[in-house]
Amino acid sequence: MVEQEVTIENKLGLHLRAAAVFIETANKFPCQVFLRKAGQEKINAKSIMGIMTLGAACGSRVTVLTDGENEIEALEKLAALIRNRFGEKE
Amino acid sequence: MESRYQGIAASPGITIGTAYLVGFPEFQIRKYRITEGGINKELDRWQAAVDATRHEIENIKRRVAQEVGFKEAEIFNAYLHVLQDPLLVQATMEQIRAQRCNAEYVLQEIASGLGRQFTEAKDEYLRERASDINDVVARLLRNLTGQAKRLLTGAEHDIIMIAKDLAPAQTASMRRERVVGFATDIGGKTSHAAIMARSLEIPAVVGLKNITDMVETGDTLIVDGSAGLVIVNADTRILTQYRQAQQRNLQASRKLRKLKGITAVSRDGYRLNVAANIEFPEDVRKARKYGAEGVGLFRTEFLYMNRRDLPSEDEQFEAYCQVARQSLPYSTIIRTMDLGGDKFLSRLGTSAETNPFLGLRAIRLCLTYIELFKTQLRAILRASQFGKIKIMFPLISDVEELRQAKAVLNEVRQELSRRRIAFDKHMETGLMIELPSAALTADVLAREADFFSIGTNDLIQYTMAVDRINEKVAYLYNPLHPAILRLIKKTIEAGHNERIWVGICGEMAADPQLTALLFGMGLDEFSTEPSFVPQIKKVIREIHLARSRELAEEVLACATTKEIENCLQNQIQDKEGCDEKAVK
């Protein structure tokens, strides 16, 4: 299992559309993917409902965790996606 | 048994149809046990509902992509993910097995558990968006129970959608040719359902509080979107009355549409400009359809509402350009943002106010948050070279405030000149007269403005010290109070003394009973909701300015509202008398 902490930088936070984009990327990898917000339990990040329960607004710190086949590549891709604001303008 | 419910009039007109309850409240979910041998069959039933729902959402997504745009369709990808979500789909299957219960019961249990977690989210925006998930769950329940299918795939017409509130996905997927009205529990004039109803031109009443509890699918409903009234299971006599009224409205609007090309010239040859009030850029089409001569009030609040961030300069520029271009050869009056500080709590760090209507709103807010204001002014100025744009400031209370606003506008002008960005150097700058303090100092204001536009809704509220939403004092909200008419008269005179034009853009302008009076008081422009434009033009064509002036004089001499009403009543009777003579 590998992990990396990133900050949610897009203005709208981890909202429904961003969550969908995140899952689409996560589903490309066979490994398990989780997200964790400080002080909370980790959630299955291949579940849109799970991501929405995080309530990660702009400025939140979240940890991406990947476990299994291709975990390192998956972690890099997913962390980069968050840093790139899920492809949103702001 | 007939029952009546009063709500907020959201989209005008009368409609009669069959109620159809949308969303959660319609589902009376029964819990029942499944036998060991029946479990596979129940799982198949669940899978079929998931497949049917996916099919529905894919169809909506395709349609929105074609009709609205790809970006707008993206949200439905999220809906599709919800349908594949293990927390929902697998959990439901597991619980069907474990509890040996029917799928809809299990689903509702799981969904309400998830719903509780969402509503605990601290962030308001995320909390709201998460509620979109309810829409997917409602679709699943509908497909499991088969309730909706029976109604909407049948041959029924004239459906009135009843809901707590209507989500974009629901209005996007409804069969427009069959839906003739909306009625909702919550929402106001700017909620999605209201806007949608107005753009589709179907009657709607919102804010009915508990209409979803009072109406069942299949009830016969009358929706009076002009009066904000819903009548459930009316008797034949009332139904006949409303059918007749509906017919009259239809015929009248057909006739009025034919008048769209005419101009408002009185019998003695005086011309009045009749423009439209609009809320959204797409309303320009409607304004043109009804023959409006330009946009007399473009409210810009929509740009700031139902979102978490502030609109960018470019986004605003696009909206202003679109309206200005499409209004040509007529002009477009853009009113700068007219919102209260409570709308921006999170974004600007302002605090909640106990008295928002007397607080930091409109021009006051803009002059406090100069950058917010400058962004809008830059966008308006940049757009000004693509059409005939005029700008006006809301809620100005005295000339110093007007000077401050104009100073900021000048700063922005200079900045654009320095950056060699083109704009219309002769753009007219005016203000709304909607505070008694502005009306009483209109002579001073007129020297420093290019035009006035009288906003009667706020003028009445602030003059009479009455909150029109508060039903206990709503009787005081009266456009025909002598104080209101005197303030209007004073404003018009002050404007004309300085040779500037004076318009009116409040609801008073849309009332055909008041047209002669207001015309006689000397107004140069009326601006109303687009659908009222033909009616106002028609009235002007039937009256004389000279006689209207006499009427105005008579009315302004009255001591009470009652006397004024009598005066107007006599005028209508006189006119009918004249017409009869003419026929003979």
Side-chain angles (χ1 to χ4, degrees), chain B residues 245-262:
Chain B
Q246 194 183 10
Q247 275 310 312
R248 278 199 302 274
N249 284 352
L250 270 177
Q251 282 165 4
S253 74
R254 251 180 243 135
K255 259 194 207 154
L256 288 175
R257 288 260 188 97
K258 283 190 195 144
L259 298 178
K260 74 168 258 199
I262 63 165

Side-chain angles (χ1 to χ4, degrees), chain B residues 295-323:
Chain B
V295 172
L297 166 63
F298 178 17
R299 302 186 174 96
T300 54
E301 291 74 61
F302 80 98
L303 285 161
Y304 300 84
M305 291 171 77
N306 296 322
R307 62 192 290 169
R308 201 171 131 192
D309 52 341
L310 291 166
S312 69
E313 182 185 319
D314 284 345
E315 184 184 346
Q316 298 189 47
F317 167 76
E318 294 286 334
Y320 305 149
C321 260
Q322 188 187 337
V323 173

Side-chain angles (χ1 to χ4, degrees), chain B residues 63 67 152 154-159 171-181 200 202:
Chain B
R63 210 156 88 203
E67 291 175 10
L152 278 188
E156 293 87 349
H157 285 271
D158 299 345
I159 290 161
T171 48
S173 65
M174 73 186 189
R175 290 164 180 261
R176 290 183 186 173
E177 67 281 8
R178 289 192 193 165
V179 175
V180 295
L200 295 174
I202 58 178

Side-chain angles (χ1 to χ4, degrees), chain B residues 13-16 222 224 237-253:
Chain B
I14 290 170
T15 188
I16 300 167
I222 299 169
D224 183 341
R237 192 177 53 88
I238 300 285
L239 273 174
T240 313
Q241 269 178 23
Y242 272 92
R243 284 221 171 86
Q244 285 166 353
Q246 194 183 10
Q247 275 310 312
R248 278 199 302 274
N249 284 352
L250 270 177
Q251 282 165 4
S253 74

Side-chain angles (χ1 to χ4, degrees), chain B residues 450-511:
Chain B
D450 297 319
F451 65 91
F452 286 156
S453 182
I454 304 174
T456 51
N457 303 359
D458 272 345
L459 185 62
I460 300 168
Q461 157 163 298
Y462 290 123
T463 305
M464 303 302 296
V466 61
D467 175 3
R468 61 193 301 211
I469 315 288
N470 182 342
E471 58 199 24
K472 296 191 191 88
V473 293
Y475 71 96
L476 282 169
Y477 184 92
N478 193 335
L480 292 181
H481 192 284
I484 305 300
L485 297 178
R486 287 175 195 199
L487 288 173
I488 294 175
K489 181 63 183 164
K490 196 168 170 56
T491 303
I492 298 169
E493 276 176 358
H496 288 176
N497 281 342
E498 294 295 330
R499 297 178 176 279
I500 66 170
W501 65 268
V502 183
I504 182 170
C505 63
E507 266 165 47
M508 272 177 91
D511 186 346

Side-chain angles (χ1 to χ4, degrees), chain B residues 104-234:
Chain B
E104 47 270 55
Y105 173 77
V106 169
L107 171 66
Q108 202 178 36
E109 250 197 346
I110 290 172
S112 61
L114 288 166
R116 265 196 301 281
Q117 278 180 289
F118 293 144
T119 48
E120 279 164 15
K122 280 199 197 78
D123 189 280
E124 192 188 343
Y125 185 81
L126 292 180
R127 210 159 52 211
E128 265 174 34
R129 295 311 106 173
S131 75
D132 288 351
I133 289 168
N134 282 341
D135 187 49
V136 179
V137 173
R139 280 170 193 281
L140 282 165
L141 287 173
R142 210 162 58 198
N143 283 321
L144 280 168
T145 56
Q147 289 174 8
K149 270 197 172 152
R150 261 201 320 277
L151 185 70
L152 278 188
T153 57
E156 293 87 349
H157 285 271
D158 299 345
I159 290 161
I160 293 172
M161 308 250 284
I162 309 291
K164 281 209 169 314
D165 197 5
L166 286 166
Q170 289 164 330
T171 48
S173 65
M174 73 186 189
R175 290 164 180 261
R176 290 183 186 173
E177 67 281 8
R178 289 192 193 165
V179 175
V180 295
F182 295 160
T184 64
D185 284 350
I186 56 176
K189 284 194 172 198
T190 56
S191 60
H192 175 78
I195 292 161
M196 198 67 190
R198 283 197 299 269
S199 72
L200 295 174
E201 295 189 40
I202 58 178
V205 179
V206 299
L208 285 152
K209 295 198 180 79
N210 60 350
I211 194 76
T212 48
D213 297 332
M214 299 305 171
V215 172
E216 281 175 46
T217 295
D219 283 346
T220 298
L221 291 196
I222 299 169
V223 172
D224 183 341
S226 311
L229 182 70
V230 173
I231 308 175
V232 183
N233 296 330

Side-chain angles (χ1 to χ4, degrees), chain A residues 11-17 20 23-24 27 44 46-50 52-53 55-58 90, chain B residues 74-75 77-79 81-82 85-88 114 117-118 121 123 125-126 129-130 132-133 308-309:
Chain A
K11 233 175 187 170
L12 299 179
L14 202 34
H15 64 126
L16 211 52
R17 196 202 74 91
I23 289 172
E24 273 154 29
N27 279 342
N44 174 1
K46 290 189 175 181
S47 153
I48 197 159
M49 305 288 233
M52 293 314 291
T53 57
C58 181
E90 40 178 31
Chain B
E74 269 188 351
I75 188 69
N77 283 338
Y79 280 37
H81 280 292
V82 174
D85 197 298
L87 285 178
L88 190 76
L114 288 166
Q117 278 180 289
F118 293 144
D123 189 280
Y125 185 81
L126 292 180
R129 295 311 106 173
D132 288 351
I133 289 168
R308 201 171 131 192
D309 52 341

